[in-house]
């Protein structure tokens, strides 16, 4: 395997869009960062700037989207579309400034983030980063939903969805997930929802920014949208979400992901399972390689 270097962006970048739930304009700014900074949000609230790192320890909610927080009332939601693009391009270190509690939905996919970061340029740093490679199968299960990761020298996925809808029953998609395939076949896939659910959410003051401009909307027996980007756009978007959620681990990862009816909660559960095992293995490996400071004879003196 080739050495993987940490990366940041070359120039600052500003992206504007609306929040999916608030319907209000959101400004997101990305800035270059030194190696080992990681991915860190700064949420602007009035004159205050609140720091919220992107990490598993800071994930506070996985209902409908992945949300991070600082342990109090400060939160940033719907980070997964942005992270899918960041992961695809290998960005490990970046400062993200935002003036609202949700990442802009843009067109409902990761494409605007991917294109924006590419246009700003990517800077390879001298420091390297160790990818996550598992040595045995790992899985999480919730009723008839499951998510498995098998050992593999490359990243690939087999994803199955099965919604109670005539157009979304038993869809399955298998593909490798290298940078080219992610950029061309996965990141442009838009989020999707059901018209009856959208109407119910909007009645509660949520999903106010949702529209046909940023989502695939399904009626009882079809689509409201005039066209799709892919025939199986919905299952591709589920893969996008999975990649973005696992990117919260903060490191490149390899394995064969097998998912059935999964979602943000299972994605984050698998990430925690992986990191707990990987961290344990790495600590064990470190201890086994550690050279004692003193020999037994010296310790006896």
């Amino acid at each position: 395997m080739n050495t993987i270097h940490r990366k940041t962006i070359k120039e600052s970048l500003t992206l504007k869009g609306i929040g999916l739930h608030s319907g209000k304009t959101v400004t997101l700014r990305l800035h270059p960062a030194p190696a080992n900074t990681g991915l860190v949000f700064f949420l602007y609230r009035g004159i205050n700037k609140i720091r919220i790192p992107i990490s598993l320890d800071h994930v506070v909610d996985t209902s409908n989207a992945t949300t991070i927080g600082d342990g109090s009332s400060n939160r940033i939601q719907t980070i997964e579309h942005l992270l899918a693009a960041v992961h695809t391009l290998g960005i490990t270190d970046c400062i993200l400034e935002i003036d609202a509690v949700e990442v802009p939905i843009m067109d409902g996919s990761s494409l605007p983030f991917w294109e924006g970061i590419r246009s700003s340029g990517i800077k390879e740093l001298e420091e390297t980063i160790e990818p996550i490679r598992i040595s045995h199968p790992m899985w999480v299960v919730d009723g008839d939903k499951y998510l498995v990761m098998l050992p593999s020298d490359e990243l690939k996925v087999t994803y199955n969805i099965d919604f109670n809808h005539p157009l979304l029953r038993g869809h399955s998609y298998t593909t490798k997930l290298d940078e080219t395939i992610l950029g061309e076949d996965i990141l442009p896939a838009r989020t999707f929802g059901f018209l009856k659910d959208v109407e119910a959410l909007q009645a509660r003051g949520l999903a106010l920014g949702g529209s046909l401009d940023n989502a695939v909307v399904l009626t009882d027996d079809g689509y409201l949208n005039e066209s799709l980007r892919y025939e199986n756009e919905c299952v591709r978007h589920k893969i996008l979400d999975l990649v973005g959620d696992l990117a919260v681990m903060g490191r490149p990862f390899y394995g064969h992901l097998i998912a059935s009816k999964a979602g943000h909660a299972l994605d984050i559960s698998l990430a925690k399972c992986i990191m707990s095992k990987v961290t344990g293995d790495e600590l064990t490996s470190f201890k086994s390689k550690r050279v004692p400071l003193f020999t037994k004879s010296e310790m006896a003196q």
Side-chain angles (χ1 to χ4, degrees):
M1 289 288 180
N2 295 329
T3 300
I4 299 177
H5 285 264
R6 302 186 72 95
K7 295 178 182 177
T8 188
I9 58 176
K10 284 185 178 179
E11 298 179 358
S12 295
L13 166 70
T14 299
L15 295 166
K16 289 190 177 183
I18 62 171
L20 176 61
H21 290 297
S22 69
K24 297 180 180 179
T25 300
V26 180
T27 301
L28 172 68
R29 294 186 174 89
L30 286 71
H31 302 289
N36 299 309
T37 299
L39 304 173
V40 182
F41 267 107
F42 283 93
L43 170 62
Y44 283 82
R45 282 193 158 174
I47 61 174
N48 296 318
K49 186 169 74 169
I50 298 123
R51 182 178 183 272
I52 307 179
I54 297 176
S55 72
L56 280 173
D57 292 339
H58 289 84
V59 175
V60 295
D61 193 7
T62 53
S63 55
N64 300 316
T66 298
T67 301
I68 56 173
D70 67 349
S72 61
S73 61
N74 300 301
R75 296 185 170 197
I76 301 171
Q77 63 187 33
T78 321
I79 64 171
E80 61 273 11
H81 299 174
L82 170 63
L83 286 188
V86 166
H87 171 83
T88 297
L89 294 170
I91 303 298
T92 57
D93 302 279
C94 188
I95 298 297
L96 306 114
E97 297 178 338
I98 194 166
D99 63 356
V101 297
E102 53 185 334
V103 174
I105 193 63
M106 308 306 283
D107 70 348
S109 78
S110 295
L111 188 60
F113 301 117
W114 183 68
E115 291 178 336
I117 294 171
R118 291 180 74 201
S119 69
S120 73
I122 299 171
K123 179 181 178 181
E124 186 173 277
L125 303 170
E126 291 185 5
E127 290 79 357
T128 60
I129 186 167
E130 186 68 24
I132 294 170
R133 307 180 200 276
I134 62 169
S135 58
H136 61 275
M138 308 186 76
W139 62 86
V140 288
V141 180
D142 181 13
D144 64 344
K145 306 172 184 178
Y146 61 82
L147 181 55
V148 179
M149 192 171 190
L150 303 176
S152 176
D153 289 334
E154 60 185 357
L155 181 59
K156 52 187 177 181
V157 66
T158 298
Y159 208 115
N160 174 70
I161 61 173
D162 190 16
F163 290 91
N164 185 23
H165 190 280
L167 299 179
L168 295 182
R169 289 197 180 106
H171 282 207
S172 184
Y173 188 54
T174 299
T175 181
K176 290 197 299 184
L177 293 175
D178 58 31
E179 181 177 336
T180 300
I181 291 172
L182 278 163
E184 295 179 356
D185 297 339
I186 301 300
L187 298 189
R190 296 164 295 176
T191 191
F192 64 95
F194 301 92
L195 182 59
K196 59 183 179 181
D197 295 336
V198 173
E199 291 172 339
L201 286 169
Q202 291 181 338
R204 293 163 45 203
L206 301 172
L208 299 179
S211 71
L212 296 180
D213 292 329
N214 55 37
V216 173
V217 181
L218 294 105
T219 62
D220 290 339
D221 57 3
Y223 296 100
L224 273 185
N225 308 70
E226 292 184 1
S227 63
L228 300 180
R229 293 180 176 176
Y230 311 96
E231 182 180 358
N232 57 353
E233 186 166 358
C234 295
V235 69
R236 291 180 192 234
H237 185 80
K238 294 292 287 185
I239 294 171
L240 181 161
D241 280 345
L242 173 58
V243 171
D245 286 339
L246 293 183
V248 176
M249 293 189 293
R251 288 165 60 181
F253 49 89
Y254 296 102
H256 184 179
L257 295 159
I258 302 174
S260 182
K261 297 189 282 187
H264 301 296
L266 274 184
D267 297 350
I268 296 301
S269 292
L270 180 65
K272 290 179 178 179
C273 182
I274 291 170
M275 288 307 295
S276 66
K277 181 59 179 174
V278 168
T279 302
D281 286 348
E282 289 174 346
L283 287 173
T284 301
S285 176
F286 171 76
K287 289 177 180 178
S288 67
K289 294 178 182 178
R290 189 171 54 187
V291 177
L293 295 177
F294 304 98
T295 64
K296 289 184 178 180
S297 60
E298 288 172 331
M299 293 175 64
Q301 293 178 3

